[in-house]
Amino acid sequence: MHKINKYFLIFIINLLSSTANSETITMPSSLTADTSSFVLLSSSGTTPAINGYSGTLLVTAVASSGNIKVTTTSDIDQASGYCGYTSDGSGDAADCSGSSLTEVGFTGTQANINAALATLSFKGDGSTGSPTVTLSVTPAGNNYNSANGHYYKIVGAADDEIVWADAKTAAEASSYNGLSGYLATIESAAENTFISAKVNQNAWIGGSDNSTYTSNTHATTEGTWEWVSGPNNGKTFYCQLANLDNSVKAHSSCSVHADTSYNNWDSGEPNDYSSTTTGEEDCAHMKTDGTWNDFPCATTDVDYYIIEYGGTAGESATTSGLTILTISSLEASGSTHQAFDDKQLSGIVEAQTESMKRHMYNSTNSIMDRMEQFRRTGDNKGLQLNDFRLALADQGVNQHTHAKLGKHYLQKYSKTIVDKSGFDLTENNIEKFITELPLSKYMKQEFGLKPKKWAMWSAGSLSKGGLNFSVGQLGRRNESNGFTVGADLDWTDNSLLGFALRDETEDVTISGNGTKFKSDNSTLSFYNTWKANDKNFIDTFIGFGETTQATTRIVDVANNTKVTGELKSKQAFGAIKYNFSNDFKLINFNSYSKVNFGYTMFDGYSEKGDSNLKLSFDDRDLKSYSVSVGSLINADINLRNSKIIPFLKIDITEDLTEGSSLKANYTSSSSNQYSKSINKDFSAIIRAETGFDWNFNNGWNLSSTLDRIDKDGFGHQNYLKFNAFKTF
C-alpha cells in the first residue's frame, strides 16, 4: 500500500509539473477602440501575458491596421528587423516611429516581456472596422510571419562557412513545434520583405537549377530554376534567359508554376558567371538587400542559411505561442465617437481645402507666367481669332483649333460676364469690352494711354503631386490639367492689360481605399503689368472662380461602403508682384517679391448613400495669404530663323494661411454636431522652374516649362506647361 501511494504521489507531482510548464498566452477576448487615442489592451480587464516559457524569447505583436506600441524600456531588447523600444535607451530602429507602428518585436525573459505586454496599446487609423492584433512567442531567433503562418530562422555555420547541399540537409533535419524545416522557398514580395528585414545576411535559400536536385526530366536542367525543398519542391519559379556569354537558357518547354511565379533576382541575375565554365552557378542565395543571386553550390562564401517551417501538408504547429485578438471599432459601428476621428473623413476635408488653395495658386501663376513671357519676348502684336492655334498640353502636338475654340469659351463665360457686368461678351466686341473696363478708362483719361491691337494667347498645363505621406497618415495624390485662353492689350511703353478664362480639372485620391473627389474649376481673371521705368515693373492680378467637387468617401473599408456628395464653392483671389530687372551683357536678371491673397466660400452640402454614416456639412470660408521672393534669369540665343530664350526661376513662398473650421452632423441625427479645425500641412514652398521661349520668324511663339515644387518636406508638385501664340 505504501508503494502504491509513493507511485501515486510521483504521478501527481509529474502532472502538476507538466501543467505548470505548459505554454500559454493570455489575451483579451474583446477590446473596443477608436481613432482618437491609444487604448491599453489591459483596459479590457485582461492584461496580455505569457506563461510557462523559459530562456530568452522573441515576442512580436502585429496589427492588421491601426497603430500599436509598448511604453516600457525595462530589460527588453529590440529584435533585429522589428520596431520597438530598447533597454539601453538607444531609441527606435531605422524607419520606425514609436507611436505609429503596425509591428513591434522584442526579446527578453518571460518576466521582462510580461512587463512590456502590460503596456501594449492600440489605436485605430480609420481604415477598417475589424482590425486584429496577432501576438506570437518563439525562442529568440525564430520569427513568426502572421501573413502566411510560417516561422523562419536564420542559422550561421559553426565554422563560418557552409555549402548549399549541407545547408539543405541541415534545414530538412530541423523541426519546430511539430513543423518540418526546409530551406526557405519565397512565394511573394511580402514574404521576401519580411525575411530580408529579419535576416540581413547573405544566406542560402532553397532554389536550384542543378539536375542533382531538380525534378524535371529534360536532358538539360540548366536555366530551369526550381524550389527543391519543402512543400514547393519540384515547382519551377524562373525560366532563365542568357544574360552573359557563360549563361545557359532554360529548355524551350520551361514553364513557371502558377503557385511560384514570384522571383527577386538582382539586376543581371542569374548569370552563371563564376568562371569560364558554363552553368557553374546552380544554387540561389539571398543578399543583404533582399535580392537573389546564383552562386556555385560548393562555394563556402555564404555563411548562413534560412530555415522555413510551415506549409507542409498534414502538419500544424503544436505550440500555444500564438493568439489573435479581434478589436471592435466604434468607427465601424457608427456610434458616438467623434466623426472627424475617421481618417478617411479628415483626409478628404483637408484635401478639399488644399485643392482650393492649389487652384488659386495655379490660376495666379498662369497669368504671372504670361506677363513674364511678355517681358521676355517683347512682342505682342495682334492675332486674328480665326487664325488661333493651340498646342494641346495633354497631347504635346500642334492642333488646329480655329474660331470654334475661342467661341466655345466666349459662349461659356458670356452669361457670367453679363450677370456680373451687364456687358454682352461676343467675338466681335472683346476689344470694346476691354476698353470699357474701369481700369482701361482710367488709364486712358488720366495718362493718355491708347491701346494697340489686342492679342490672344493660350496655355496648357499638366500637374501631378502628393502630400502628407508620413507614417500613420492617409496621404493624398492629385492629378490635374488646366487650360487658359487670354486676350491682352499692349499699351504704350510696354504696359500690358488683359483678361483670361481658365478651365481646370483635378482628380484627388485619399490613400488607396477609394476615398476621392474630382474637381472642376472655372476662373475669370483680369491682369495688368505696369512699367515704371526700364528696370521696375509691377504686376497685378485679380480672379473670380467657381468650383464643383464630386466626392466619394469610404465609410467602411472592409465592406467597401461609400457615400457621395457634391461640394460647390466660390473664390475671389489676387496677387501683387514687384519686379526688378537688370541686364548683364547677354543675360537678364530679374528679382521679385509677391503677395498672394484669396477668399473661398464653401457651400454646405449633404452626402448620399446607403449608410447611417452620411454627414451634412455646414458652409465655411477660407482666407489665405502668402508672400514670395524669387529670382529669374534668361538669355537670348539667336538662330538662323528663330530665337530661343532659356530661363531658370527659383522662388520661396511662405504660406500665412491661418486655417479654417468645419462643422458637420450625421444626417440621421442633427443633435450631435462635430467640428474640426483644418490647419495647413506646410508653410514653406520652394519652387524651381526651367523652360524656354522659342520665337520663330514666321510669327509663332512656343514655350514649355517644367516646375518642381517642394512643400516643406510634406509633399511635392510637378508641372509640365505649354504655351502658344502667333503674331502678325
Side-chain angles (χ1 to χ4, degrees), residues 50 52-58 107-113 137-140:
I50 63 175
Y53 291 88
S54 61
T56 302
L57 306 168
L58 167 64
T107 60
T109 65
Q110 176 175 288
N112 295 330
I113 286 172
V137 185
T138 63

Side-chain angles (χ1 to χ4, degrees), residues 171-237:
E172 293 173 351
S174 173
S175 64
Y176 175 68
N177 287 324
L179 301 176
S180 301
Y182 51 91
L183 278 183
T185 61
I186 304 170
E187 301 178 26
S188 68
E191 184 181 10
N192 196 84
T193 299
F194 177 88
I195 296 173
S196 64
K198 310 310 184 277
V199 171
N200 197 31
Q201 298 285 349
N202 288 308
W204 291 119
I205 57 177
S208 178
D209 67 342
N210 188 300
S211 60
T212 303
Y213 309 106
T214 56
S215 63
N216 70 75
T217 58
H218 292 270
T220 177
T221 61
E222 283 292 336
T224 302
W225 284 86
E226 294 182 7
W227 296 118
V228 296
S229 188
N232 287 320
N233 184 28
K235 296 180 180 179
T236 301
F237 67 89

